[in-house]
Amino acid sequence: MADATAKTVTTVEVTTAKRRAGRLAVWASYAILAVVALVVVLADLIAPYEPNAQDLNAILLPISGDHLLGTDDLGRDVLSRMLHGTRVSVVAAALAVGIAVVIGFPLGVLAGYSGRWVDAVVMRIVDAVMSFPAIVLAIGITATMGPDINTAMTAVGIVLAPTIIRLARAQTMAVKQQTYIEASRSFGARGLRRLILPHVVPNVIQPILVQVAILMGFALIAEASLSFLQLGVRPPTASWGSVLSRSYTFFDQAPVQIFVPGAAIALTVFALNIVGDEIQRLLDPKRR
Amino acid sequence: MSAPLLELRGVSVRYPVGWRRRLTAVDRIDLVINEGETLGLIGESGSGKSTVARAIVGLAPVSDGEVLWRGEPTSGFDKSRRREFVEAVQMVFQDPHSALDPRRTILQSVREPLDVMSHGAKSERTEVALKALSDVGLPDHLVRRYPHQLSGGQKQRANIARALVTRPKVLICDESVAALDVALQAEILNLLQDLKAEYQLTIVFISHDLSVVGHIADRMSVMYLGRIVERATTESMLGRPLHPYSEALLSAQPLVSGDGADRRIILTGDIPSPLSPPSGCRFHTRCPHAVERCTAQDPSLLEVRPDHQSACLRVEELYGVSAEGSAR
Amino acid sequence: MKALRVVATSVASAVPTLILATFIVFFLQRLIPGDPAVALAGDYATPERLAEIRADLGLNEPLLQQYLSWLGGALTGDLGQSFRTGQPVADLVFERLPLTLILTGLALLVAVAIGLPAGVLAAQRAESRFDKFLTTAATLGIAIPNFWLGMMLIVVFALQLGWLPGPGGPSLADDPAEAMRGLVMPAVALGAVGAAEIARQVRSAMIENLSADYVRTHRAKGLPSRSIIWKHALKNSSLPFATILGIQVSRLIGSAVVVEAVFGLSGLGSLVVEATNQRDYTVIQAVVFVAAALVLLTNLIVDISYRILDPRIA
């Protein structure tokens, strides 16, 4: 009896300690995303310099009070470029994910709802697109259409769409089996306005939100990769990827300048993944 | 003779299964539902009784035969008659929880049929829904809650309210109390009896549970593997079943009938797959009285006593009654 | 005989996807802004020259015929000529392919060597502090862009410590030993992120298995827990593991393209970057095609092993 009590206490303690450790990562992630969001909105106000202002008398300066992250090979203030680049990168990633959702969500719901040949056709296309390494297909599309950030992010959106399609389809198929759909059909609810919009979409959308957080992370890395390959933003525009790309040309002289943009990407993507997991946990019906 | 309110004439429901195979869930059944009565439809799971309900409200495809409303085939209905029919025939589903959309409040769900069928003035629909909710005894303070905040009994009341908002003539209750505990079952059954009087309803009550149906039904039909095997008034059926399957079902019920209950008939095996139904009488694989000819000849449903029909080849040997003339 | 039938079934079921994939690659050509003939010959080409190029490329044929002749070529190893140099594209691709394959293979090795044991250990002590730490570390690992990790490795191990060669080493043909040394950092950069993904996925597959009934039965019978985990649960995780590996190959090939650019390795990645700068559309198309072919081949192998490993399928 005493033994059993002791055991219970330990379990509770372990769970609390674990939960506290887990909470730390979650709160840190919320904080990181809040800072990123603030920078996106306030970049003009908080950046100490014009992001594209060159000062050839102040090339490759180390970290100092005047230039908190130093200057690049054209004498531009790296901190200011990072702050403005945050906006460019986040907007670019949001564009890609937005396109993925706009393409993927309706197709996924359609495939899951209609079944039969519509489903077969959509899923074959999904399989085909997914048989390309995502980044390679995005490179292929962008390289062919001409390097440009909007083109690049559209391409990334296209290669991400299958992920959304699969998820929305699976979720729709699960919802379709629910009795409340049958109940609505029994009194004549059919089609987009009476069945899909009011009953299917609200019950499908939540897991999509989790995926959106995770895909934002992927899109940020894709922006950096494509910009690094000169397929994304064009000079002199600053983005996390273009700052990193530029810094790599003189990394032996100022290694710290490649550290900052990469760390910004890694931390933001980490926070997005953690918050995604957290949303998933909060939505888990077993918790209620 | 005036036409019955609702009638099924030779209705079959078949589903395609895989490559060129079809599953016959309901096989050429006839069913008559008269205005004002409560009809019980009984069978094990897999008997096709729920498919019958789904076929009536148009959720299952009718491959053969006709569903008739006041003597007219529903398949020929135009849009407005179709809507009239849908309004008049409403269904209450088995699982009270999953029958309600988790993202809508109870009031929204109950109001929905009115919106879908453009029933009455928009401004009055909430009033109508609230009235239905109070008729089923759901307290006011619960109507703006979500399904997961309600108990099973409260949710089933909400489901019944949703079926009642269009002022239907027929309520089809598909295992509507099966998911509830016994005390709640009685409560909901009483509620249905009260509502039947108040709304002047005709009720089709589908259940696997003879004791439940026995309490509420005027007439009963027993289904086995997509066919109706016996049909009679409740009194006649419970008093003396004239088909081995009904007999077995009845003997499994404690306290229903004093005489029959002392000798329990245990059915062995599961109900066969409707993909490959047995030859001859479909029940022969499990029937304790089956003989050679049961495997070959398919019995039809014949009148063996007044208001009592049975589909058994050996009805005379086993029960001492004979099939005089053919009954529909 | 059974094996042959299994392979045939798998190949047959992959065909529609393959055909659609070739459609996508073919239609990349259609994305070229403006007239491909102008893109090829330059803005100052004479109309006669343009007509000649169009005829050469078959641009005057109906679309379907263009596709079929392109497909016929692609399947027999003819990927067309370079827009710029006129060289057969297949030669360019196969010259660069080995390096990318070696790099991807090494990265996969790194990813499995770290990711598999980490995932199993975490699952074994699920919900423990160690598990929590590992899961968080894996989440961070997934978040790191691998080409940036490559840069950081260069800064530390080539620039600061001088232990490993930095970018711009000899090619595989010139000096294999030194070239392999040059592949260590790119393989680690690629593999580390893969390891994080593998660890997470193996962990959840194992946790599912460890809670299964047969594991509890073995526990009840008193089998030592190490044997349960390594022999039984891991064996039953082999199917999800095959899937995980399949996904990783696709990811690694994609990431290799970018990492090659960081390390100045002349693999497929650098080829596509060069082709982009020169607007060499047939080369871009060929690289995309070969990458997809590699992924489809991997999926096919995974599919076949599935059918052989799992008696329920096939």
Side-chain angles (χ1 to χ4, degrees):
Chain A
M1 191 65 210
D3 216 313
T5 324
K7 207 164 201 171
T8 324
V9 171
T10 350
T11 326
V12 170
E13 272 170 2
V14 169
T15 338
T16 334
K18 188 200 76 200
R19 200 168 289 158
R20 211 169 286 144
R23 301 316 296 171
L24 185 68
V26 172
W27 286 113
S29 299
Y30 283 140
I32 291 169
L33 295 187
V35 169
V36 170
L38 268 179
V39 171
V40 167
V41 178
L42 302 175
D44 303 301
L45 293 177
I46 51 180
Y49 297 89
E50 275 293 306
N52 299 332
Q54 302 184 3
D55 181 353
L56 297 178
N57 294 321
I59 287 170
L60 289 174
L61 290 181
I63 288 170
S64 70
D66 281 346
H67 298 282
L68 287 176
L69 293 177
T71 59
D72 69 6
D73 58 335
L74 297 174
R76 298 176 294 195
D77 179 56
V78 174
L79 176 64
S80 302
R81 289 184 65 71
M82 276 301 293
L83 293 174
H84 280 270
T86 302
R87 177 184 292 169
V88 174
S89 289
V90 169
V91 169
L95 173 71
V97 176
I99 286 170
V101 171
V102 166
I103 298 173
F105 188 72
L107 272 179
V109 172
L110 178 78
Y113 186 79
S114 324
R116 296 170 189 237
W117 66 270
V118 178
D119 185 38
V121 169
V122 171
M123 289 322 285
R124 276 295 168 203
I125 296 173
V126 163
D127 283 346
V129 174
M130 281 189 135
S131 65
F132 296 88
I135 204 84
V136 174
L137 185 56
I139 289 172
I141 296 173
T142 317
T144 310
M145 293 181 72
D148 169 63
I149 185 67
N150 291 331
T151 313
M153 289 298 115
T154 307
V156 172
I158 291 170
V159 301
L160 290 184
T163 314
I164 300 275
I165 294 181
R166 283 196 165 175
L167 191 63
R169 169 182 177 263
Q171 196 66 21
T172 303
M173 285 177 14
V175 167
K176 214 177 119 189
Q177 301 295 318
Q178 299 293 315
T179 315
Y180 57 81
I181 297 294
E182 190 153 66
S184 293
R185 286 167 58 88
S186 80
F187 48 73
R190 297 281 189 283
L192 193 66
R193 196 167 76 94
R194 287 301 184 197
L195 206 53
I196 296 181
L197 290 182
H199 293 296
V200 178
V201 169
N203 286 291
V204 169
I205 214 153
Q206 281 195 345
I208 303 287
L209 291 180
V210 176
Q211 198 59 33
V212 161
I214 289 159
L215 289 186
M216 267 304 278
F218 184 94
L220 281 172
I221 293 180
E223 184 279 320
S225 304
L226 289 166
S227 292
F228 176 72
L229 297 177
Q230 320 296 331
L231 290 169
V233 296
R234 276 185 284 193
T237 311
S239 76
W240 288 353
S242 72
V243 173
L244 182 56
S245 180
R246 185 87 199 176
S247 309
Y248 190 58
T249 59
F250 49 83
F251 78 93
D252 46 344
Q253 295 164 63
V256 72
Q257 287 188 16
I258 61 173
F259 178 76
V260 174
I265 296 167
L267 278 179
T268 310
V269 176
F270 172 76
L272 284 165
N273 283 330
I274 293 280
V275 168
D277 287 348
E278 175 70 4
I279 299 173
Q280 184 144 44
R281 200 181 65 84
L282 291 175
L283 294 179
D284 187 355
K286 280 181 233 150
R287 259 188 87 256
R288 285 185 196 157
Chain B
M1 182 183 123
S2 76
L5 188 61
L6 187 63
E7 185 180 355
L8 272 63
R9 218 175 265 172
V11 166
S12 297
V13 177
R14 299 195 187 91
Y15 293 104
V17 180
W19 183 245
R20 284 195 184 170
R21 290 223 292 177
R22 296 210 296 177
L23 180 152
T24 305
V26 173
D27 193 8
R28 288 167 286 154
I29 70 157
D30 299 318
L31 203 62
V32 169
I33 299 144
N34 296 310
E35 187 147 15
E37 75 173 343
T38 299
L39 177 77
L41 199 55
I42 300 145
E44 293 168 279
S45 60
S47 63
K49 57 192 193 304
S50 289
T51 312
V52 170
R54 291 158 40 86
I56 295 173
V57 295
L59 288 174
V62 175
S63 330
D64 266 322
E66 276 292 355
V67 176
L68 296 106
W69 175 245
R70 297 190 193 279
E72 284 178 71
T74 54
S75 59
F77 281 179
D78 61 15
K79 220 175 168 183
S80 75
R81 300 265 352 239
R82 179 87 221 156
R83 207 182 71 187
E84 210 174 286
F85 174 68
V86 170
E87 280 182 6
V89 182
Q90 285 288 303
M91 187 152 158
V92 180
F93 291 85
Q94 171 172 4
D95 180 3
H97 180 70
S98 64
L100 295 165
D101 188 335
R103 312 227 162 271
R104 309 198 120 202
T105 64
I106 297 302
L107 182 59
Q108 284 173 328
S109 280
V110 171
R111 198 193 126 120
E112 191 189 346
L114 301 172
D115 291 327
V116 169
M117 292 184 256
S118 318
H119 188 105
K122 249 184 196 159
S123 50
E124 287 161 16
R125 288 180 195 157
T126 300
E127 276 309 303
V128 174
L130 284 172
K131 162 83 167 60
L133 280 162
S134 91
D135 285 348
V136 299
L138 199 71
D140 268 356
H141 67 276
L142 295 178
V143 303
R144 280 171 220 283
R145 297 213 179 156
Y146 288 89
H148 71 267
Q149 297 169 303
L150 265 58
S151 72
Q154 289 165 339
K155 277 180 279 204
Q156 198 56 308
R157 283 172 194 270
N159 277 310
I160 295 171
R162 176 171 58 184
L164 288 177
V165 279
T166 56
R167 294 243 147 214
K169 297 265 182 250
V170 180
L171 203 60
I172 300 175
C173 302
D174 182 11
E175 295 274 16
S176 298
V177 297
L180 306 174
D181 66 51
V182 177
L184 268 172
Q185 286 193 1
E187 214 178 292
I188 298 291
L189 287 176
N190 287 335
L191 173 69
L192 284 173
Q193 297 283 34
D194 295 346
L195 291 169
K196 183 182 173 182
E198 194 182 334
Y199 281 74
Q200 296 175 326
L201 291 169
T202 302
I203 294 181
V204 178
F205 198 90
I206 296 168
S207 176
H208 66 281
D209 191 342
L210 251 176
S211 61
V212 169
V213 181
H215 278 299
I216 193 168
D218 304 314
R219 289 193 307 128
M220 294 184 179
S221 290
V222 177
M223 281 190 79
Y224 187 78
L225 217 55
R227 294 271 183 85
I228 291 176
V229 295
E230 186 172 5
R231 173 155 65 196
T233 59
T234 303
E235 209 175 314
S236 182
M237 176 84 76
L238 295 184
R240 188 160 179 226
L242 298 175
H243 190 283
Y245 179 59
S246 320
E247 212 183 353
L249 281 185
L250 200 61
S251 81
Q253 302 292 332
L255 307 171
V256 171
S257 149
D259 292 345
D262 44 14
R263 199 169 45 99
R264 279 184 76 124
I265 304 163
I266 312 282
L267 287 180
T268 51
D270 286 327
I271 189 161
S273 161
L275 267 173
S276 47
S279 62
C281 173
R282 295 179 169 208
F283 186 54
H284 83 257
T285 54
R286 298 166 77 197
C287 182
H289 309 296
V291 293
E292 190 69 40
R293 87 189 136 107
C294 298
T295 64
Q297 199 181 338
D298 191 1
S300 40
L301 193 59
L302 301 172
E303 185 109 2
V304 288
R305 282 197 345 208
D307 280 335
H308 201 137
Q309 298 157 358
S310 167
C312 177
L313 294 169
R314 301 187 65 201
V315 68
E316 197 167 351
E317 303 151 53
L318 294 174
Y319 305 103
V321 292
S322 65
E324 298 289 347
S326 65
R328 277 236 350 243
Chain C
M1 221 44 230
K2 190 212 167 205
L4 207 68
R5 207 178 57 234
V6 164
V7 172
T9 325
S10 298
V11 171
S13 69
V15 165
T17 312
L18 179 71
I19 291 175
L20 271 172
T22 58
F23 258 133
I24 294 173
V25 176
F26 174 72
F27 275 99
L28 270 183
Q29 247 180 34
R30 303 278 115 201
L31 295 178
I32 299 174
D35 186 341
V38 176
L40 183 54
D43 290 336
Y44 306 106
T46 59
E48 292 77 27
R49 173 83 185 117
L50 288 179
E52 195 184 319
I53 290 172
R54 278 198 199 99
D56 254 16
L57 292 175
L59 290 176
N60 301 323
E61 315 280 340
L63 213 55
L64 186 67
Q65 198 167 335
Q66 286 185 44
Y67 167 71
L68 288 177
S69 64
W70 174 82
L71 182 66
L75 293 181
T76 53
D78 175 10
L79 295 167
Q81 271 98 46
S82 160
F83 261 41
R84 293 293 158 228
T85 62
Q87 270 178 288
V89 174
D91 291 357
L92 288 173
V93 169
F94 288 111
E95 194 184 302
R96 306 290 191 99
L97 189 59
L99 186 109
T100 303
L101 288 182
I102 292 172
L103 176 58
T104 310
L106 286 176
L108 196 62
L109 216 62
V110 173
V112 173
I114 303 172
L116 181 63
V120 172
L121 287 175
Q124 199 176 353
R125 289 168 218 164
E127 305 296 310
S128 71
R129 211 170 276 224
F130 171 77
D131 173 36
K132 202 81 208 171
F133 168 76
L134 214 76
T135 315
T136 310
T139 309
L140 191 61
I142 290 170
I144 293 175
N146 37 28
F147 69 96
W148 174 70
L149 181 61
M151 294 175 186
M152 299 313 292
L153 290 176
I154 291 172
V155 168
V156 174
F157 293 100
L159 198 66
Q160 309 282 339
L161 300 171
W163 290 356
L164 286 162
S171 79
L172 218 48
D174 295 343
D175 184 351
E178 186 59 20
M180 287 305 278
R181 249 164 59 85
L183 284 178
V184 171
M185 282 198 288
V188 169
L190 274 172
V193 176
E197 288 178 9
I198 290 182
R200 271 177 70 123
Q201 290 162 334
V202 166
R203 175 185 175 273
S204 57
M206 283 289 284
I207 285 179
E208 203 167 292
N209 256 310
L210 285 173
S211 62
D213 286 341
Y214 71 91
V215 169
R216 260 182 263 141
T217 316
H218 282 312
R219 283 231 165 96
K221 284 198 304 200
L223 266 169
S225 129
R226 186 175 300 170
S227 129
I228 295 174
I229 286 177
W230 289 105
K231 267 169 105 176
H232 297 279
L234 199 59
K235 199 170 107 198
N236 279 283
S237 302
S238 57
L239 288 183
F241 188 64
T243 314
I244 294 167
L245 278 187
I247 296 168
Q248 272 311 311
V249 170
S250 168
R251 292 269 173 88
L252 288 175
I253 291 175
S255 309
V257 168
V258 192
V259 169
E260 278 174 16
V262 171
F263 286 89
L265 298 168
S266 50
L268 283 184
S270 326
L271 182 62
V272 78
V273 171
E274 289 158 24
T276 304
N277 293 335
Q278 297 167 358
R279 305 267 154 121
D280 201 340
Y281 297 113
T282 39
V283 174
I284 296 169
Q285 196 183 20
V287 172
V288 174
F289 178 67
V290 169
L294 288 176
V295 173
L296 281 168
L297 192 66
T298 313
N299 290 347
L300 190 66
I301 295 169
V302 169
D303 190 42
I304 291 172
S305 56
Y306 243 85
R307 286 169 201 266
I308 290 170
L309 285 172
D310 191 340
R312 282 166 301 181
I313 315 173

